[in-house]
Amino acid sequence: MASVPALATRLLELHHTGTTLVLPNVWDAWSATVVAGAGFEALSIGSHPLADSRGQGDNEDMTLDDALDGVRRICAAVPDVPVTADMEAGYGAEPSELVERLLEAGAVGLNIEDTVHSEGGRMRSVAEHADYIGGLGQAADAAGVDLVINARTDAFVAKGRFDDPVAEAITRLLACEEAGARCSYPVAAPDADSLRRILDALSGPVNVIADPRQGSAAGSLEDLQAMGVHRVTFGPLLQKALAPDLAALVTPWKQR
């Protein structure tokens, strides 16, 4: 079994190979072993599919204990595969506590967003989010682990809040890069032009969400590769895409 520091370093290296890293979002030990068995070198845990698998809600309806229970089970199922986990806005934990407990659970990367659902869905300021990211980085450095911090902004999700959501996303993600984020996540970037502006402005890796069947708002995997996108995740869309297939598989067996 690989050590946590070794897995973290490997995950960081995978962000800088010159190719687009695809991290399918898993939600339990079974889905993790299936995806790892398909040959993926690293995995992501989505908070939404994890919550659904537990019968709980997204947006910090789970507690930190709940989320880490799922993370621990998944990491134990794929002990030689680097795993990064969506930790929403941190579940109210201080950065040092979150890093300590996440590493103990076996994850070597995390996604942190700037919408704090446990506090009424308020959006952190640019400085507040960057400070939280910086605290995570300091805690990881103190632990001697190359924790891959993926800084997410909801600038595009907050409809009507910003006159120029692209400019707002860039401002927020630049501040997070400067604070130590190792990847940036402008979730729901609406089109290729918006994504290109973000890629041009940032110096580090950028994460894009995609539907495993339909691609991303900015195009197919090939399009994203041509644009220089470093990382692709599916969020809740992989689990969602499987639901019709499952229903179709069992429906012929219904009693009539």
Side-chain angles (χ1 to χ4, degrees), residues 123-181:
M123 198 168 186
R124 286 175 174 148
S125 69
V126 174
E128 182 186 7
H129 193 45
D131 285 347
Y132 195 89
I133 296 295
L136 295 171
Q138 291 167 13
D141 289 345
V145 177
D146 290 325
L147 185 70
V148 178
I149 302 167
N150 187 38
R152 167 176 153 169
T153 181
D154 287 346
F156 295 106
V157 177
K159 302 293 186 182
R161 178 174 292 191
F162 304 112
D163 292 335
D164 187 345
V166 178
E168 183 67 23
I170 289 170
T171 296
R172 287 172 173 269
L173 295 176
L174 278 173
C176 289
E177 273 196 345
E178 292 172 5

Side-chain angles (χ1 to χ4, degrees), residues 64 68 87 89-91 93-103 110-112 132 136:
L64 178 58
L68 290 175
M87 288 285 103
Y91 295 96
E94 291 297 317
S96 57
E97 177 193 359
L98 185 59
V99 168
E100 179 182 6
R101 296 188 64 187
L102 186 73
L103 294 175
L110 76 166
N111 181 80
I112 291 289
Y132 195 89
L136 295 171

Side-chain angles (χ1 to χ4, degrees), residues 212-237:
R213 298 193 194 278
Q214 302 174 12
S216 77
S220 66
L221 176 58
E222 291 74 19
D223 294 329
L224 298 177
Q225 290 171 329
M227 292 171 65
V229 170
H230 309 79
R231 168 169 150 169
V232 174
T233 51
F234 298 140
L237 301 178

Side-chain angles (χ1 to χ4, degrees), residues 4 7-8 11-12 15 43-45 71 75 82-87 102-103 106-112 145-150 231:
V4 166
L7 288 170
L11 181 61
L12 180 59
H15 285 70
L43 305 177
S44 177
I45 301 171
V71 171
C75 292
V83 176
T84 181
D86 180 0
M87 288 285 103
L102 186 73
L103 294 175
V108 294
L110 76 166
N111 181 80
I112 291 289
V145 177
D146 290 325
L147 185 70
V148 178
I149 302 167
N150 187 38
R231 168 169 150 169

Side-chain angles (χ1 to χ4, degrees), residues 18-20 189-200 202 204 206 208 216-232:
T19 60
T20 303
D191 50 50
D193 288 342
S194 299
L195 183 56
R196 286 192 188 94
R197 283 178 60 187
I198 293 167
L199 287 164
D200 288 344
L202 300 178
V206 172
V208 172
S216 77
S220 66
L221 176 58
E222 291 74 19
D223 294 329
L224 298 177
Q225 290 171 329
M227 292 171 65
V229 170
H230 309 79
R231 168 169 150 169
V232 174

